[in-house]
Amino acid sequence: NNYYGDTSKTFIIGETKKETKNLVINSQKCLYYIINKIKPGVTLGEIGYYIQNYAQKKSLSVIKEYCGHGIGKNFHENPKILHYGKKNSGLRLKPGMVFTIEPMLNIGKCTNQISDNNWTVTTNDNSISSQWEHTLLTTNYGCEVLTIRQDENINMF
């Protein structure tokens, strides 16, 4: 019906280091943790605060140049959903709001750069990043995950 949805998942291919697996698992857990906090009255600043707080407790950093976003008839709409913030700041969620949450977590520092192709983004310290994302609809009592996959259980963590 001419509406957009947006989702992403990080895949591990082949053998990898334990810290890489932990990053991917924790970025997924971070997304699910935030999804379970979404309800009317929560502020955008709180979403960012919870993402950043979760990452820091796991000794990870958050990307600050990219963020979640409103979504609907256009792919990227307002409001921006930052990966950092302050409690009780910013717009308060209301039923009917549709947006993405997409924590991007890093093993190293949060600074990054865009390569010459104007598409590929890497961390300045060449550390590994992971992103998980879903499109959410705020309901009267919480939220509905509009892009949930059959193999997911957002309450599993």
Side-chain angles (χ1 to χ4, degrees):
N1 295 327
N2 296 316
Y3 286 91
Y4 284 93
D6 195 6
T7 187
S8 70
K9 176 179 179 177
T10 299
F11 293 86
I12 294 175
I13 299 177
E15 292 298 316
T16 190
K17 297 177 184 177
K18 183 177 180 181
E19 72 175 348
T20 302
K21 289 179 186 176
N22 285 334
L23 169 68
V24 173
I25 289 167
N26 280 308
S27 60
Q28 181 184 26
K29 285 182 179 182
C30 181
L31 174 62
Y32 294 170
Y33 171 73
I34 302 306
I35 287 171
N36 284 290
K37 292 200 168 285
I38 299 299
K39 62 183 178 185
V42 169
T43 67
L44 297 184
E46 288 173 67
I47 294 170
Y49 170 83
Y50 291 130
I51 292 170
Q52 184 173 22
N53 190 275
Y54 184 95
Q56 288 174 336
K57 284 183 179 178
K58 302 296 182 181
S59 299
L60 302 169
S61 65
V62 297
I63 293 288
K64 294 184 177 179
E65 290 83 2
Y66 299 94
C67 59
H69 51 87
I71 190 166
K73 293 276 186 176
N74 295 299
F75 193 69
H76 289 109
E77 297 180 352
N78 286 321
K80 292 180 179 179
I81 316 294
L82 303 176
H83 302 136
Y84 59 95
K86 296 179 183 175
K87 287 186 173 183
N88 298 313
S89 67
L91 184 72
R92 289 198 179 275
L93 298 180
K94 294 186 261 184
M97 293 178 75
V98 180
F99 55 92
T100 69
I101 295 182
E102 47 186 285
M104 295 179 195
L105 306 184
N106 304 319
I107 289 175
K109 296 183 178 176
C110 66
T111 56
N112 61 74
Q113 59 194 351
I114 299 176
S115 67
D116 291 340
N117 66 14
N118 287 323
W119 179 255
T120 305
V121 178
T122 58
T123 57
N124 288 347
D125 63 3
N126 291 314
S127 63
I128 298 172
S129 295
S130 174
Q131 177 194 23
W132 290 73
E133 174 185 18
H134 273 307
T135 301
L136 310 176
L137 165 65
T138 307
T139 66
N140 289 327
Y141 305 103
C143 73
E144 180 181 346
V145 181
L146 300 177
T147 51
I148 195 162
R149 293 176 292 276
Q150 289 181 345
D151 64 337
E152 282 185 294
N153 177 359
I154 62 169
N155 297 310
M156 64 192 247
F157 295 107

